[in-house]
Amino acid sequence: MASADEIVCNGHVITLPTLEVVKAVPIMAAGTNIDWLLHLYYARRDFIRCRLIIERELHRSLNPEYMYFVKGLIDREEGNNIEALRNLQKALDLNSKNIETYKEIGKTLFIMGRFNQALDIFREAEELAPRQDHEICHFIGELLHRSAAAANQLTIARQEEAEAKMYFEKAVQAGKKLESFQRLAEILRKEKDYARAIEVLENCLLLSPENIEVLTEIGVLYLKINDSQKAFARLSEVIALDRKCPKGLLAYGAILQSRNDVDGALEKYQEIALTEPDIPELWNNIGLCFFKKKQQKVIAAISSLRKSIWLSPLNYNALYNLSLVYITAQQYASAFHTLAAAINLRKDSAECYMLLGICLRKLEDTENAFKAFQRSSEIQQQQSADAGRNPLVHLNFALFCYETGRIALATEQFTRFVSSSQDLLLPTEYKFQATKLKSLLKIPTSNILTSTPTGAASDAIDATDSQHIGTGNNSSGGDGMSNNSVDDIYGIYGVKRQAAGNKQELRNTKARALATAALAAAPTTSSAEMPLEVNAVVNA
Amino acid sequence: MSVNAKWLQVIVDEDEPRPRLNTVTSCMTLCDIKCDNYVRLIAADIALEDEPTATLKIFRGTTLHTELKLNGIPAAVQSFYSDESEPKTPIIAVAIAESVLFFRNLKPYFKYTVPGLGAEELERDLWLKLPTVRVEQQPALVESLRSIERPKMSRKSQKLIQLSQEEQNEFILKYADATVMRHPNIVALGCLERISSDVNPPSHLVIATDNGDILVLEPQSFGLIYQAKTCDYETVPSMIAVHGTYETDFRIVIATRYGGVYLLRKSVKEGQEIFKISHPFTGLMLLPVDQTITVCAMDCRLVCYSKKGKQLYVNKLPALPMCMIPITLPHLGLTLCCVALEGGLVQLYLQRYLVNEFHMVSTIGAMCFGRTGHEDYVLNMVSVEGEIFVKILKRTAAFDPSELLALKGNVESKAMVETILEKSKKSSIFVEQAAREKQNAKTTYGAFQAELWRLRYVAARATVDAINSSESTISGDITHAPVKLSAEVCGIGPEFRLYLTIQNMSSYKMASNLTVLLHADRRHYTLNKSMAKLPSILPGVPLKIDFEIVAVLDPNLKLPPHTLTIENSQIRVMLLKARQTKPLIAAVIAMPQSEANV
């Protein structure tokens, strides 16, 4: 304060203002400040104007952070990822704390397939984020999930998978975004925690009701836990919302089909066939519908199943079903080829080998038939621990053994059949054949089959015995089928479901588990219940 | 069409010069600026062609009435009444950078500047030091400024960092005394009525700045009566929607550039996040009736959320939305949501139902609805190219969702008529074959099995033959290095040149003592040299040798002898190893037909 004069006034020292004019303090002009307009044009995808603004303003703007940001995004939209990264990096240099820029860099790296780098970027962003950001959590989860799938070591993969799950849970809490819910449900589904997966999706539904994808998914999950009533309710909602949702319609049709409402199911399938005719599972189901009709339409069934196989030649379910229909139609040579194809696809199916055995028996190739039956019995025994039991395999083998004079083996197989059919509700068809065989083999009465009138059976043995061998090919499988009342089908329902569950497991390993699940749920259900008819055929 | 009978198109004289206007929805407003009961359209025209400049344009009908030059690009324009004194004079507020310009009777009368924000400690210290230190030390200090995030710096620091070192000193001296302060830029404006009274109630101005502050300004004393933050950290708003009255209660919904939507109430000073989407917004609305928030974004969806963030419904838009405005029809008690889409389609939604749509000749980029001229319900639209369109809603128009639905439903049900499942056709051959198979299943199967065995047998024999005769291009003898032979015939005849490439396929063994022997029918081909001893061949270094082959032609007819057929026009090549009777490779080269000698 050298220039100012100081005087004493009223006992205080005060400075007198100088005569010099107060120096005007220059104010920095704001510049054009056009970021908001840039944002608006970007949101409208008016990239030409965006570029125009950026080009002109980039070098004179006081804070070009957002311009670099938008430039990067536009570059990315136009497919120039490298340039996008460069521009986003420039934006980041100007403001190293903007998590949005981090996110966009991460997303760009994600698009480019540089997943490890993307993960690092998202992790950095997570540390910087002032609060839990759902998008960051979602992407970290996604990336971990991906790297878990690619990891070589099981422990690392497990660890990453668990972490991915944790991040998805965080994302769900932070952002309530649909995608995160769906991914979380997907992981839970893979872990077979269906109840929680449903819970997650139901929560998701609270946020965005009437979402067809989510509804369908819930429906399919309910099917998995055998709650077909709830599944049915959900899927009806889907269909009410969108009459043309093929996935929903297909699952809905499958439920109807499993409830023996063949015409209702066919009606639904018709609608799908109108919009999307090239779904192999659809034709598989249609084929089974025809097969199941009161007046069996074998030819229609065959042509539908063949269409399904034509659409997807490696579809195991369709091949299995087609061979079954062929056997019913007594086209054993064709059935043999279809079965051979099916077995080439999956070598671990006891039912498939059993059918092959039946088929070869009919073709009078006893040697190979025996081998096939033996294999089916072996597989059945190996799997019986974890998978569903199918006593039919043993029953058929026992019948064949008896026929070819291998009495000892027949007795052994029969006891296996008895032990494996314990605590299962068997259809009368099974019981009938079993009782007949038992009396032929002269096995003392066991407590399992007490429900059948054993006394009457022992009288009828000889009569039925001659019929059993004599009638040969004439009594058609169709007869046996029409005899099956609704009760019978529900009777072995438990068995069917177990088998279906097992098949589902294998399917889950597929990458597109999500898409196929709805479709797959249907064919497996229907295919698994087919051995019922087989029994009729083999005993005919 | 009955649907479009709701709107009257205002026809403009083609000969008249049509004013052009480049604007956005936030920069359009309607105002009875002259207090003559004639409402005029006011819009900021943003020229981007050369130097970005803006003018405030006042229209009378569709003709340009007045122009005011602005010293910056306005982010928003609003018109409102500040007091109840008669005659009520509307005020126009134009937000440019950090200040709001107030116009009354088309004359600027006040400039309000948003309060500056304190700068970071580090930055303030630096500016105290900068003018005092020596010039050589300045760059180091300037460099240390870079550690501060750019948006949190004062403008002069931002500028200083961009300057070259030579200019820095001068700049520092010039701006040394200027206060170190951040000036937030205004990004959006809104109007908040003070009380809900009759028409044209006095209002407050809501200001959103780019650091996330939401301010309510009292336009008479120009004091801030409400201050809040969008959320607990700094984020940039892009759009705001206001509902309620200041005296009782109000709500402000803020959409940010990065996809978040926040809700502010009168009682709170910090917004709460309602939802977040991953796409930037192009329109935001707060519906007055049920207080739902409708947004349209870059992902071509019109989504409605409740205030708790629950997604109520989603409408898929047929094209990219450009802008969205609410259309309030008090006589019907409705608020419609009007969305302009890319390509010129304009759609009106009543909640989730599409109630009306019409096509314009070009994409609409900005809209404004309200009393214009002497008409009550007028939709003013400006296309992206700059043309102005005006449509008037008929007083009799009613919006019934069933109307358009029925129209669309008809089309749909037509598609659903009588569908019979397309089954694949069964030909008689198919049925016959099925029947035949049924009868002769065993023979069919037997024939197949026999054929299968035959095929296997043939295949096995062919394999054995090939191994025995060494007739392949790769030597099969595993005791020596595997050798590959390839051949190429050049020329059109009668002179040919045969190039042989011999390659050692082993990775470490040497192939030595090899000889190539050519054999041909001497009636057909003449070979000058039919044998060549080969040097040792190293792995990975192919050896190429060539032989001359002359096709024998009848001297008179200039044709090859009649004994030469396509089957026997061939040359055998044998690769021999010394002291071994069996050739390593015996290949046959098919020769092309020879041309006559010219």
Side-chain angles (χ1 to χ4, degrees), chain A residues 265-536:
Chain A
L266 266 182
E267 202 178 291
K268 297 286 166 238
Y269 294 147
Q270 245 171 50
E271 281 176 35
I272 312 169
L274 203 70
T275 46
E276 274 181 65
D278 291 343
I279 308 171
E281 280 81 2
L282 169 73
W283 288 101
N284 174 46
N285 286 4
I286 290 176
L288 287 178
C289 273
F290 282 125
F291 185 62
K292 221 175 175 184
K293 271 197 169 181
K294 278 276 184 289
Q295 304 85 31
Q296 204 172 17
K297 289 183 177 167
V298 180
I299 292 176
I302 289 177
S303 59
S304 302
L305 283 165
R306 278 177 68 164
K307 181 163 182 178
S308 165
I309 289 166
W310 182 74
L311 289 169
S312 125
L314 299 181
N315 187 338
Y316 167 79
N317 286 321
L319 282 168
Y320 178 89
N321 290 333
L322 180 61
S323 57
L324 196 63
V325 180
Y326 269 139
I327 289 177
T328 319
Q330 296 170 30
Q331 297 189 18
Y332 300 111
S334 303
F336 169 74
H337 288 295
T338 333
L339 278 169
I343 287 173
N344 269 323
L345 284 173
R346 274 182 54 181
K347 295 193 167 53
D348 58 343
S349 164
E351 282 98 349
C352 230
Y353 276 108
M354 179 189 75
L355 285 188
L356 188 66
I358 293 163
C359 190
L360 287 168
R361 193 195 81 117
K362 288 286 175 193
L363 292 167
E364 289 166 44
D365 188 350
T366 351
E367 216 171 296
N368 285 326
F370 182 70
K371 276 184 197 161
F373 273 125
Q374 217 171 14
R375 182 76 66 86
S376 84
S377 159
E378 274 166 26
I379 294 169
Q380 178 71 19
Q381 268 171 289
Q382 280 165 17
Q383 289 182 341
S384 61
D386 50 308
R389 295 170 286 175
N390 195 347
L392 199 58
V393 172
H394 299 302
L395 183 61
N396 273 325
F397 193 18
L399 279 167
F400 177 75
C401 287
Y402 175 74
E403 230 177 34
T404 50
R406 297 175 173 93
I407 305 293
L409 200 54
T411 322
E412 188 201 325
Q413 287 298 324
F414 184 74
T415 28
R416 283 223 179 108
F417 162 71
V418 171
S419 66
S420 68
S421 61
Q422 245 161 353
D423 63 69
L424 288 180
L425 268 169
L426 290 182
T428 44
E429 186 91 18
Y430 287 26
K431 288 176 187 164
F432 177 63
Q433 295 294 346
T435 328
K436 233 167 37 174
L437 185 67
K438 192 181 73 174
S439 47
L440 286 171
L441 291 169
K442 305 188 175 56
I443 298 168
T445 318
S446 73
N447 52 347
I448 301 304
L449 299 160
T450 39
S451 53
T452 40
T454 38
S458 56
D459 290 340
I461 311 163
D462 292 334
T464 43
D465 182 30
S466 58
Q467 225 182 11
H468 172 67
I469 296 152
T471 40
N473 288 351
N474 295 338
S475 97
S476 68
D479 266 10
M481 188 179 176
S482 50
N483 289 340
N484 299 331
S485 64
V486 179
D487 295 355
D488 290 341
I489 288 163
Y490 273 119
I492 58 158
Y493 210 66
V495 194
K496 279 184 278 168
R497 285 302 180 184
Q498 277 171 14
N502 178 41
K503 280 170 193 166
Q504 217 64 58
E505 232 178 273
L506 288 153
R507 190 151 292 98
N508 272 343
T509 52
K510 286 182 189 171
R512 281 193 61 223
L514 203 129
T516 41
L519 314 172
T524 42
T525 317
S526 6
S527 72
E529 68 186 61
M530 283 312 151
L532 198 65
E533 281 90 45
V534 176
N535 188 25

Side-chain angles (χ1 to χ4, degrees), chain A residues 33 36 44 49 56 60-61 63 65 94-95 177 206-207 209 270 283 329 331 333-334 337 360 365, chain B residues 24 48-51 74 149-151 162 185 278 310-311 320 352 365 384 419 422 434 437-438 445 448:
Chain A
N33 175 46
W36 64 273
R44 288 178 176 186
R49 277 189 181 156
R56 192 167 298 133
R60 58 180 183 192
S61 168
N63 179 20
E65 181 201 347
L94 292 174
N95 182 359
K177 279 296 289 278
L206 290 180
L207 286 172
Q270 245 171 50
W283 288 101
Q331 297 189 18
S334 303
H337 288 295
L360 287 168
D365 188 350
Chain B
V24 289
L48 290 171
E49 272 64 43
D50 29 66
E51 197 58 19
E149 296 125 77
R150 194 64 74 97
Q162 285 174 348
N185 291 316
S278 314
K310 186 181 167 185
Q311 193 177 312
L320 187 75
R352 72 177 66 187
V384 173
T419 53
E422 283 260 338
E437 196 197 323
K438 221 181 250 189
Y445 172 71
F448 170 75

